[in-house]
Amino acid sequence: MNWIKTLHDALFGFAFYYPLFMAYLWMVGGIWYFLHWERRDRARGIDNPPPLPEYPPVSILVPCHNEGENVRETIAWALAQRYPDFEVIAINDGSSDETGAILDQLCEQHARLRVVHLAENQGKAVGLITGALLSPNEFLVCIDGDALLDPNAVQWMMRHFITGPRVGAVTGNPRIRNRSTLLGKVQVGEFSSIIGLIKRAQRIYGRIFTVSGVIAAFRKSALHRVGYWSDDMITEDIDISWKLQLDHWDVRYEPNALCWILMPETLKGLWRQRVRWAQGGAEVLLKYFRDLFNWRKRRMWAVYLELATSIFWAHVIGVTVLLWGAGKLVELPEILRVPTLLPGWTGVVLGFTCLLQFLVSLLIDSRYEQGNKRYLYWMIWYPMAYWVLNMTTTIAGLYRAITRRRGSRAVWVSPDRGLGTEQAS
């Protein structure tokens, strides 16, 4: 029975120490990234990107499906780029609303805009592939049909391609537009302290889990080598990130490349989005599992390990919750009893660490949003609510990834776009 007790103590210790370890790893990595790369740009200002030795032409790809309410604004911001040589290619992917008509009208008004219509809903990956193949340019910037691209974003991302011949992709810095509800305000802090900080830390140890599908730039020759986006993956952005890095292309993070996005502000919409993200991560873990044993691809081991460990942690927490619930119904052996889910001293330590992580990230991100530190107050809800959400969506996402029919095309599903917008100052 000693080994059972040892295993029990190890699992419950892991449930506590894993998020604690990762939080400090992300904070140290984020600070290191800031000091090594990001700090040198602070004196320039976001609106003053460094001049480039050359300005190769760029195509901005905007795949759209039922974006009638947002596409005018999205195209207007894309056309407002201060980069000297670019075009915008909008791909209307079988929209059933007025998206196609709006794009045709805009095309007549703007010489830089080209529009492509697909007869049926083929999915975002097919839309991106269509735009990439129709583009005459080597460099592509891909945004969503409801995203507002900062006027200097293209130039900030292009500096990586100009200076790095092995750079295959650059991911930008998405910022939340709609923050009129508690969920919206919490996600402002989450995108800074979780998503932004993780990308900074992952950049330090060499590989990034995923580009942001809402804003990412690509070298087309790199895409061609790996076969472009996969149309059967539920999250094409995660998959293309792994394909490129497994082919030894570098993927970088550019925090100055801002893009304003809409996020879910209902629990149902948030649940659907996070299950999709979790399913996409599990799908790439299963798809590229054999590459884990390839020494030449060892630089991806840290990303594999982080993803696999997070999935395992979610299941440990899930089992803990089940044991607590079962203990309310039947008499369990002493070693399996979970007397309470209310946080004790461990919860206080985790809560303090979480708030410290948010503070560090918001301080780093204050360059991109003035007054963002006021959202620290709302982050007290994150450990209590979002960790439960992440645990349940991770488990559901893994199940869906395992049971999903292989080879079936991933098509558009209209997301929750929030209840209202409150632009950042």
Side-chain angles (χ1 to χ4, degrees):
M1 294 295 292
N2 288 336
W3 69 270
I4 297 179
K5 185 178 186 306
T6 300
L7 178 62
H8 171 274
D9 293 342
L11 288 176
F12 279 85
F14 169 74
F16 166 64
Y17 286 109
Y18 171 70
L20 194 69
F21 171 78
M22 293 306 299
Y24 283 101
L25 176 66
W26 293 335
M27 281 190 280
V28 171
I31 293 172
W32 187 354
Y33 177 94
F34 170 77
L35 295 175
H36 186 66
W37 282 303
E38 204 166 350
R39 183 175 57 173
R40 70 185 67 172
D41 291 326
R42 292 185 76 87
R44 301 197 61 88
I46 300 174
D47 294 331
N48 184 31
L52 304 178
E54 57 178 318
Y55 294 86
V58 173
S59 294
I60 301 175
L61 307 185
V62 189
C64 306
H65 177 73
N66 291 345
E67 296 288 358
E69 294 183 3
N70 304 295
V71 73
R72 288 184 185 275
E73 195 175 17
T74 295
I75 297 299
W77 280 64
L79 290 169
Q81 287 299 299
R82 298 187 180 122
Y83 191 81
D85 192 356
F86 74 95
E87 66 169 352
V88 178
I89 302 177
I91 304 96
N92 173 32
D93 190 10
S95 297
S96 57
D97 66 356
E98 68 274 17
T99 299
I102 293 174
L103 287 175
D104 286 338
Q105 182 185 55
L106 293 173
C107 189
E108 295 177 357
Q109 301 170 4
H110 302 283
R112 289 185 185 267
L113 176 62
R114 288 198 287 156
V115 175
V116 181
H117 297 282
L118 301 180
E120 297 179 355
N121 181 355
Q122 299 293 318
K124 185 178 178 181
V126 173
L128 289 170
I129 294 171
T130 302
L133 295 178
L134 290 174
S135 168
N137 301 323
E138 169 69 352
F139 299 105
L140 312 171
V141 174
C142 306
I143 64 174
D144 281 356
D146 62 340
L148 307 183
L149 190 63
D150 184 82
N152 298 290
V154 170
Q155 186 159 332
W156 279 112
M157 290 191 286
M158 283 300 297
R159 68 170 176 167
H160 294 277
F161 295 113
I162 299 299
T163 59
R166 289 300 302 174
V167 174
V170 179
T171 182
N173 186 358
R175 316 300 297 183
I176 308 299
R177 293 172 59 194
N178 49 331
R179 48 188 75 182
S180 59
T181 66
L182 175 60
L183 285 180
K185 290 178 171 65
V186 169
Q187 287 177 95
V188 173
E190 181 194 28
F191 266 66
S192 296
S193 63
I194 302 297
I195 297 176
L197 206 64
I198 288 175
K199 281 184 168 58
R200 289 177 173 91
Q202 289 175 339
R203 178 76 179 97
I204 290 298
Y205 58 71
R207 289 291 182 261
I208 289 178
F209 171 64
T210 182
V211 300
S212 296
V214 70
I215 173 174
F218 298 92
R219 189 187 300 269
K220 188 158 68 171
S221 55
L223 291 173
H224 189 73
R225 270 183 57 95
V226 301
Y228 295 92
W229 295 268
S230 301
D231 64 4
D232 62 341
M233 300 295 285
I234 199 70
T235 51
E236 83 297 327
D237 49 356
I238 302 178
D239 181 69
I240 195 62
S241 304
W242 287 49
K243 287 169 77 172
L244 288 170
Q245 292 176 116
L246 288 169
D247 194 43
H248 310 293
W249 292 96
D250 195 13
V251 175
R252 295 185 181 177
Y253 174 54
E254 178 48 73
N256 292 283
L258 303 182
C259 186
W260 301 94
I261 64 174
L262 297 171
M263 291 292 287
E265 288 191 289
T266 65
L267 289 174
K268 179 180 179 181
L270 192 63
W271 166 265
R272 290 174 57 185
Q273 180 197 63
R274 299 310 166 94
V275 169
R276 178 177 171 273
W277 288 2
Q279 180 180 344
E283 284 183 3
V284 297
L285 191 69
L286 297 172
K287 178 179 178 179
Y288 300 110
F289 177 74
R290 292 184 180 180
D291 292 302
L292 185 63
F293 304 99
N294 190 326
W295 175 254
R296 294 184 64 247
K297 299 174 181 179
R298 62 190 178 277
R299 292 189 68 188
M300 284 293 288
W301 289 356
V303 179
Y304 276 107
L305 181 62
E306 183 177 334
L307 176 58
T309 306
S310 67
I311 293 175
F312 178 68
W313 174 83
H315 284 78
V316 171
I317 296 298
V319 169
T320 302
V321 174
L322 288 176
L323 289 175
W324 172 81
K328 300 298 181 182
L329 302 175
V330 298
E331 187 70 22
L332 294 177
E334 179 66 27
I335 199 171
L336 297 179
R337 291 176 188 169
V338 179
T340 180
L341 294 179
L342 296 177
W345 72 270
T346 57
V348 173
V349 173
L350 285 173
F352 170 78
T353 299
C354 184
L355 291 177
L356 179 62
Q357 177 183 337
F358 286 125
L359 178 61
V360 168
S361 61
L362 290 174
L363 287 173
I364 293 175
D365 265 14
S366 62
R367 162 181 168 82
Y368 312 107
E369 283 190 53
Q370 294 182 358
N372 69 344
K373 290 184 287 296
R374 68 181 183 271
Y375 292 101
L376 181 64
Y377 166 79
W378 300 102
M379 303 321 296
I380 193 173
W381 298 99
Y382 192 92
M384 292 184 285
Y386 266 56
W387 284 356
V388 174
L389 178 69
N390 289 341
M391 178 265 292
T392 53
T393 55
T394 297
I395 295 173
L398 178 63
Y399 172 77
R400 291 190 181 186
I402 293 173
T403 58
R404 182 170 179 254
R405 184 167 60 89
R406 295 293 179 267
S408 58
R409 178 168 291 177
V411 296
W412 293 94
V413 177
S414 296
D416 176 359
R417 292 286 169 63
L419 305 176
T421 59
E422 177 191 317
Q423 291 283 14
S425 59

